[in-house]
């Protein structure tokens, strides 16, 4: 009987399995989606005049924002990036901030033009990304990340119930003004990047 070779050739490793959609990162994204209607209900309840409801709405907003900070980092660090997360994460982000802007405008605490400008920019950039997706990906810029931070701080300040305190009110106004300015500038930057990406894709190869 022939003896087996002492050093058998190792079998080739199979392809790595795709990460499951049932993971911590996606759970945080789903939690953020669930918090959106709760946040809206708390914000608009009793016409937004009850301090307790406003504090609970602010807490729900802050928790949701925190999940936005960590779910992407967890997904990338622990190989939990899934197609579900790629779609649900930006939807959850825009649903949360959009609900806050619209809710504050409904209560008459934030001018509607601010909400319209922000919403047009947010959904316009999303449309631009789909417009150029065949030619390349437009990642979030530093300005875009700054915009997100400024919006979160401004909205958090506006959500607090003590807007009759001058220092709080004008701090909220200052952050919102900065957020709107950066929102407009970065929106125009994304338009330019999209046009350059399309032009480069149509340019003939040398």
């Amino acid at each position: 009987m022939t003896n087996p070779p002492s050093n058998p050739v190792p079998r080739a490793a199979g392809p790595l399995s795709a990460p499951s959609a049932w993971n911590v990162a996606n759970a945080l994204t789903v939690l953020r989606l669930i918090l959106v209607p709760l946040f809206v209900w708390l914000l608009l309840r009793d016409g937004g005049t009850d301090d307790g409801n406003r504090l609970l709405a602010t807490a729900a907003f802050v928790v949701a924002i925190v999940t936005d900070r960590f779910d992407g980092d967890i997904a990338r660090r622990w190989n939990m990036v899934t197609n579900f997360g790629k779609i649900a994460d930006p939807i959850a982000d825009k649903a949360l901030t959009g609900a806050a802007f619209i809710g504050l405008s409904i209560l008459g605490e934030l001018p509607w033009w601010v909400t319209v400008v922000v919403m047009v920019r947010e959904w316009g950039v999303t449309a631009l990304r789909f417009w150029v997706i065949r030619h390349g990906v437009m990642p979030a810029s530093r300005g875009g990340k700054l915009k997100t931070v400024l919006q979160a701080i401004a909205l958090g300040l506006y959500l607090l119930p003590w807007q009759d305190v001058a220092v709080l009110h004008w701090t909220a106004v200052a952050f919102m003004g900065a957020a709107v300015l950066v929102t407009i500038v970065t929106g125009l930057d994304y338009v330019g990047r999209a046009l350059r990406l399309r032009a480069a894709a149509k340019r003939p190869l040398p």
Side-chain angles (χ1 to χ4, degrees):
M1 182 172 63
T2 305
N3 292 328
S6 57
N7 295 313
V9 178
R11 295 180 180 179
L16 294 175
S17 59
S20 170
W22 297 94
N23 59 54
V24 175
N26 286 346
L28 290 173
T29 300
V30 172
L31 174 62
R32 187 156 72 258
L33 284 168
I34 294 173
L35 284 172
V36 171
L38 174 63
F39 159 72
V40 172
W41 178 71
L42 290 169
L43 176 61
L44 300 181
R45 191 181 182 191
D46 298 326
T49 58
D50 183 77
D51 287 1
N53 288 330
R54 289 296 290 259
L55 287 174
L56 289 173
T58 305
F61 180 81
V62 170
V63 170
I65 285 292
V66 169
T67 67
D68 179 35
R69 172 64 180 85
F70 288 107
D71 60 357
D73 289 345
I74 292 173
R76 287 185 292 270
R77 180 172 298 180
W78 299 102
N79 190 30
M80 294 180 181
V81 178
T82 63
N83 290 331
F84 172 81
K86 292 176 183 178
I87 296 172
D89 183 66
I91 290 176
D93 297 343
K94 288 177 174 55
L96 177 64
T97 56
F101 276 106
I102 292 172
L104 289 168
S105 292
I106 289 174
L107 294 174
E109 299 177 17
L110 187 67
W112 272 106
W113 71 264
V114 172
T115 296
V116 170
V117 166
V118 171
M119 298 300 289
V120 168
R121 185 273 188 198
E122 296 297 331
W123 292 106
V125 168
T126 299
L128 282 174
R129 283 195 166 107
F130 280 108
W131 185 52
V132 301
I133 196 169
R134 291 186 301 127
H135 309 292
V137 176
M138 288 198 304
S141 63
R142 290 184 179 180
K145 295 177 181 178
L146 174 62
K147 177 268 304 178
T148 301
V149 172
L150 288 173
Q151 285 186 5
I153 295 173
L155 289 170
L157 291 172
Y158 264 92
L159 290 170
L160 290 171
W162 308 296
Q163 294 301 313
D164 55 340
V165 178
V167 173
L168 174 62
H169 174 71
W170 290 110
T171 301
V173 170
F175 271 100
M176 186 61 73
V180 171
L181 178 61
V182 175
T183 295
I184 295 172
V185 171
T186 55
L188 294 175
D189 176 63
Y190 276 112
V191 171
R193 290 167 62 187
L195 293 175
R196 289 193 295 271
L197 195 58
R198 293 271 297 191
K202 292 180 179 180
R203 194 176 299 131
L205 296 174

